[in-house]
Amino acid sequence: MIGISRLYCGSRERSDALRYGEAVARPSAGAPRPIVVWNCTRACNLRCVHCYSASTGPAGKKELSTDAGLAMLQDLARFGVPVVLFSGGEPLMRQDLFTLIRRAAELGIRPILSTNGTLIDCRVAERLREAGTRYVGVSLDGLRETNDAFRAVEGAFDRALAGIRHSREAGIKVGLRFSMTRRNAAEIGDVFDLVRDEGLPRVCFYHLVYTGRGSLLVREDLDHEATRRAVDLIIDRTAGMHAGGHRAEVLTVDNHTDGPYLYLRMVREKHPRAEEALRLLRRNGGNASGSRIASIGWDGEVYPDQFWRQKSLGNIAERTFGEIWSDGTDPLLAALRNRRAHLKGRCAQCRFLDLCGGNFRARAEAVTGDPWAPDPACYLTDDEIGLTGEAGEE
């Protein structure tokens, strides 16, 4: 995640401590404790065209039971996991979700919810708050017509907006999640208007990752020039919103190129926080698949991140999460934690490698077949990354 509001506008958020490496517990030896995305169900009431888990319909037969989920949360707490993001599918289709969230909170894990929002009525919102839910992120990919086309269900926008309002009325922090493609990039400004008009404290703009049903949308991803325009618009609207008094947290997600791009823009503008932004981006380190981020599937399979679902590291039915994550003999984990030795091409030579971490390996593999090839979503030029000697000094 690239904190546009923090880096460009100087606003501070509680989550900054995790994002910039100040509060992620680390063992005396081995890997850092990660934030865990738990895709707790494959069931979903929508049919989103870009769903990375290709979720739809009822739950699968291999979905973890309540007892298995509770045992897993106990294991995560013992290992020192600070945050569990309950995702799906649609996590609210699990009847035991409130029990699981409550247990996570009791164990000292911060539970947050990633949802399409359409199932959150007043009672559900109250139950989420009572269980200890600290944050609800609701996916909206445009205004009414555009969002409902993405979701393949008419009325999804209105129900999601109602869910957002119910969550806020219940006292839960809630934010928007917007995935950018060619079919909805023109509505980025409208999303900022919605955030302002609804008084929302947070919005995340996601870049497309080519996995699940999202693998069918490669040609609908923004090209490099369109991506630059979109990121510039996000920066401009964030600055304007903050200047107007609505200091919402604004982040871009799943393309760590945004970090050096933002820094280079700040240098051109002689922005007074440019060097602080560079320091924080270096501290964050960019992509953290296999180190500061992990994913657990509905069937207990452990992955380096939520997108690389063909790369199982083991199953919690056979070993604890802590044992899987601390296994120094696993070749993929070892490579991800020493990726400089494996990255190829532009990524290996980029002067901003310590800022972006080589970006998404899942996206590189999806396009090239090679997990260590350059991420095709990197939109910086050779000049900007220092390959031609004309980019200037950092």
Side-chain angles (χ1 to χ4, degrees):
M1 289 184 167
I2 306 300
I4 303 297
S5 49
R6 170 66 191 275
L7 301 173
Y8 196 78
C9 301
S11 64
R12 293 176 180 269
E13 302 291 337
R14 176 179 175 178
S15 56
D16 287 345
L18 285 173
R19 189 164 301 119
Y20 302 114
E22 298 165 350
V24 179
R26 285 171 169 79
S28 57
R33 273 47 168 168
I35 292 170
V36 171
V37 178
W38 182 20
N39 297 100
C40 61
T41 183
R42 194 173 185 176
C44 193
N45 60 323
L46 303 182
R47 301 185 298 276
C48 304
V49 298
H50 56 326
C51 178
Y52 69 78
S53 63
S55 295
T56 190
K61 294 180 180 179
K62 295 183 178 180
E63 187 172 292
L64 293 178
S65 67
T66 301
D67 287 344
L70 292 172
M72 181 193 73
L73 291 170
Q74 181 72 55
D75 172 42
L76 297 181
R78 281 195 298 264
F79 191 61
V81 167
V83 176
V84 169
L85 189 155
F86 290 83
S87 188
E90 171 49 54
L92 282 164
M93 292 190 73
R94 277 196 71 125
Q95 298 303 306
D96 60 356
L97 179 67
F98 307 105
T99 298
L100 296 166
I101 289 174
R102 181 175 293 105
R103 185 57 179 152
E106 290 170 349
L107 291 166
I109 299 172
R110 185 183 181 204
I112 61 179
L113 181 67
S114 176
T115 174
N116 61 46
T118 62
L119 301 179
I120 303 179
D121 57 20
C122 291
R123 179 56 183 148
V124 167
E126 286 293 336
R127 292 184 71 187
L128 287 170
R129 180 188 59 78
E130 292 167 358
T133 308
R134 304 294 293 273
Y135 174 75
V136 171
V138 177
S139 296
L140 279 179
D141 291 307
L143 300 187
R144 184 173 288 105
E145 182 178 350
T146 301
N147 179 78
D148 289 0
F150 263 90
R151 308 292 167 194
V153 174
E154 187 175 352
F157 176 86
D158 291 326
R159 295 201 298 274
L161 187 57
I164 289 168
R165 291 169 176 169
H166 292 317
S167 298
R168 294 211 70 197
E169 290 164 3
I172 303 173
K173 181 179 179 180
V174 60
L176 293 188
R177 301 157 57 91
F178 178 96
S179 296
M180 299 182 290
T181 69
R182 294 185 183 188
R183 66 171 76 179
N184 67 352
E187 296 187 10
I188 290 174
D190 297 315
V191 170
F192 270 99
D193 292 341
L194 182 63
V195 169
R196 179 200 61 210
D197 294 345
E198 293 291 327
L200 298 179
R202 195 174 199 245
V203 58
C204 299
F205 292 92
Y206 285 74
H207 294 264
L208 187 65
V209 182
Y210 318 137
T211 187
R213 287 197 291 272
S215 63
L216 304 176
L217 297 184
V218 175
R219 294 184 179 180
E220 294 193 35
D221 196 8
L222 301 178
D223 63 26
H224 290 178
E225 287 305 313
T227 301
R228 295 169 81 100
R229 290 194 298 271
V231 174
D232 277 328
L233 176 59
I234 291 167
I235 297 168
D236 292 340
R237 288 300 303 262
T238 301
M241 189 166 61
H242 278 235
H246 184 53
R247 299 179 65 82
E249 182 182 17
V250 180
L251 303 108
T252 62
V253 190
D254 295 341
N255 191 337
H256 299 279
T257 305
D258 294 347
Y261 182 76
L262 173 66
Y263 167 69
L264 289 171
R265 170 172 162 161
M266 293 173 76
V267 170
R268 290 196 304 272
E269 295 175 346
K270 296 182 171 54
H271 196 295
R273 277 187 287 271
E275 293 310 305
E276 179 189 10
L278 179 63
R279 177 181 62 82
L280 291 174
L281 287 166
R282 279 188 172 139
R283 176 173 285 181
N284 176 269
N287 181 270
S289 300
S291 56
R292 289 179 287 115
I293 187 75
S295 177
I296 301 175
W298 45 79
D299 55 358
E301 296 291 333
V302 177
Y303 306 103
D305 62 46
Q306 65 270 41
F307 300 104
W308 229 359
R309 309 186 70 79
Q310 74 278 25
K311 302 288 188 180
S312 176
L313 305 171
N315 193 291
I316 61 167
E318 300 167 359
R319 292 188 293 166
T320 68
F321 175 84
E323 290 170 336
I324 293 170
W325 204 249
S326 301
D327 186 354
T329 67
D330 185 277
L332 180 57
L333 281 182
L336 285 170
R337 293 166 186 173
N338 184 32
R339 60 182 69 192
R340 281 182 176 271
H342 300 274
L343 289 168
K344 301 175 182 177
R346 301 175 80 244
C347 281
Q349 303 172 61
C350 177
R351 70 183 179 122
F352 292 121
L353 181 55
D354 59 340
L355 272 63
C356 86
N359 224 332
F360 264 92
R361 300 297 89 219
R363 193 157 43 210
E365 185 176 50
V367 171
T368 69
D370 183 351
W372 302 109
D375 185 337
C378 174
Y379 53 90
L380 295 180
T381 67
D382 286 352
D383 285 355
E384 288 169 327
I385 69 173
L387 295 190
T388 63
E390 300 174 7
E393 296 298 324
E394 289 185 29

